[in-house]
């Protein structure tokens, strides 16, 4: 089916090109040229113009090579009065008609190319407008993106500033807490030393109390013995 579709495509309108025109598309439902980058309306117009210039140069060269031949009448000679008489009038008229018959297809092709160029220009203008609209939309999207980026950067700067302030506050609070801990630690150490001193004094007091209790016990025992001996001495002797 693909081969049949290719065979039904028209031949490229570029001079001397035997390729098929491109397949129809939504943007160009009736393409007249093949996929060659130079085969378009402008390229065909330039090619026809170059070929016409070559034909003119060939005619000039032929006139130079055969100066005795009668000069071909120019197109302006057709405007001369038709009442002109003479032996060369019929020949000139036939030459003019032959030239017109030869150049008429070229003029028709050039007219088609110009018409196609106008259509191409219309399509180019439409594409340019669409491109301008897309460019404007892209610029608007870019402006919105830049605005969003600036807002995001501003919010980021604000968040960064808040983070730095919060970090500084936490650092100060941490330093104060560390200072408080050091103070409490120093106070605790001082209390520990005082408790150690009190424990030493308590141990001394305990030793003194133990010594005092021992001395008191010894004194009580000594007094009891002394009291017993005194009582024994004071008692009367028994009667015989």
């Amino acid at each position: 089916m693909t081969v049949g579709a290719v065979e039904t495509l028209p031949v490229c309108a570029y001079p001397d090109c035997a390729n098929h025109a491109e397949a129809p598309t939504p943007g160009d439902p009736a393409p007249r040229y093949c996929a060659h980058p130079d085969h378009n309306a402008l390229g065909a117009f330039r090619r026809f113009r170059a070929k016409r210039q070559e034909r003119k140069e060939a005619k000039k060269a032929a006139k130079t090579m055969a100066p005795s031949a009668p000069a071909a009448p120019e197109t302006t000679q057709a405007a001369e009065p038709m009442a002109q008489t003479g032996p060369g009038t019929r020949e000139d008229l036939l030459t003019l008609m032959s030239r017109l018959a030869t150049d008429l297809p070229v003029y028709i092709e050039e007219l088609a190319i110009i018409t196609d160029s106008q259509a191409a220009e219309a399509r180019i203008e439409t594409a340019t407008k669409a491109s301008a609209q897309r460019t404007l939309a892209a610029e608007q999207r870019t402006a919105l993106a830049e605005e969003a980026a600036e807002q995001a950067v501003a919010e980021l700067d604000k968040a960064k500033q808040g983070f730095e302030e919060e970090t500084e506050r936490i650092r100060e609070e941490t330093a104060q807490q560390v200072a408080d801990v050091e103070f409490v630690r120093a106070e605790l150490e001082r209390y520990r030393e005082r408790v150690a001193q009190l424990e030493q004094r308590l141990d001394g007091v305990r030793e003194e109390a133990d010594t005092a209790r021992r001395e008191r016990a010894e004194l009580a025992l000594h007094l009891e013995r002394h009291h017993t001996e005194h009582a024994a001495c004071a008692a009367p002797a028994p009667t015989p």
Side-chain angles (χ1 to χ4, degrees), residues 10-216:
V11 179
C12 178
Y14 190 86
D16 301 331
C17 180
N19 297 327
H20 291 286
E22 291 186 305
T25 60
D28 189 6
R32 300 182 63 245
Y33 300 95
C34 64
H36 194 282
D38 295 334
H39 291 190
N40 48 42
L42 181 60
F45 178 76
R46 291 176 177 174
R47 180 61 177 167
F48 277 117
R49 187 171 57 184
K51 291 177 66 176
R52 185 174 61 182
Q53 185 65 26
E54 291 176 358
R55 286 195 297 269
K56 288 182 178 180
E57 292 178 356
K59 290 179 180 180
K60 290 181 180 180
K63 291 179 181 180
T64 304
M65 294 296 295
S68 59
E74 298 294 335
T75 306
T76 55
Q77 292 178 356
E80 294 179 358
M82 296 300 297
Q84 180 181 2
T85 58
T89 302
R90 180 179 177 82
E91 288 77 5
D92 293 341
L93 182 58
L94 292 175
T95 303
L96 180 59
M97 292 177 64
S98 176
R99 178 181 297 178
L100 289 175
T102 303
D103 294 342
L104 184 59
V106 178
Y107 294 149
I108 293 175
E109 290 176 352
E110 291 181 358
L111 179 60
I113 292 172
I114 293 173
T115 305
D116 186 75
S117 300
Q118 292 176 353
E121 290 177 358
R123 290 196 295 269
I124 292 172
E125 184 178 358
T126 303
T128 303
K129 291 181 179 179
S131 177
Q133 292 177 355
R134 290 194 296 269
T135 302
L136 180 59
E139 290 178 353
Q140 292 176 352
R141 290 194 297 269
T142 303
L144 292 176
E146 291 178 353
E147 183 178 356
E150 291 177 357
Q151 184 176 359
V153 170
E155 292 178 356
L156 181 62
D157 292 339
K158 184 178 179 180
K160 181 180 179 182
Q161 183 179 0
F163 175 76
E164 291 177 353
E165 293 176 354
E166 185 68 16
T167 303
E168 185 64 24
R169 185 183 63 80
I170 294 174
R171 186 181 293 112
E172 292 177 357
E173 291 180 355
T174 304
Q176 184 63 37
Q177 292 176 358
V178 171
D180 294 341
V181 170
E182 292 295 333
F183 175 77
V184 171
R185 185 178 298 170
E187 287 293 320
L188 180 61
E189 188 67 26
R190 187 170 63 83
Y191 283 126
R192 285 178 179 175
E193 293 177 357
R194 187 175 180 182
V195 169
Q197 293 175 0
L198 291 175
E199 288 179 351
Q200 291 178 359
R201 290 182 61 185
L202 180 61
D203 291 339
V205 170
R206 286 175 180 174
E207 290 178 358
E208 291 177 358
D210 292 341
T211 302
R213 281 194 301 269
R214 286 194 300 269
E215 290 178 352
R216 186 174 61 182

Side-chain angles (χ1 to χ4, degrees), residues 1-10 20-24:
M1 294 179 66
T2 305
V3 175
V6 172
E7 291 178 353
T8 58
L9 293 176
H20 291 286
E22 291 186 305

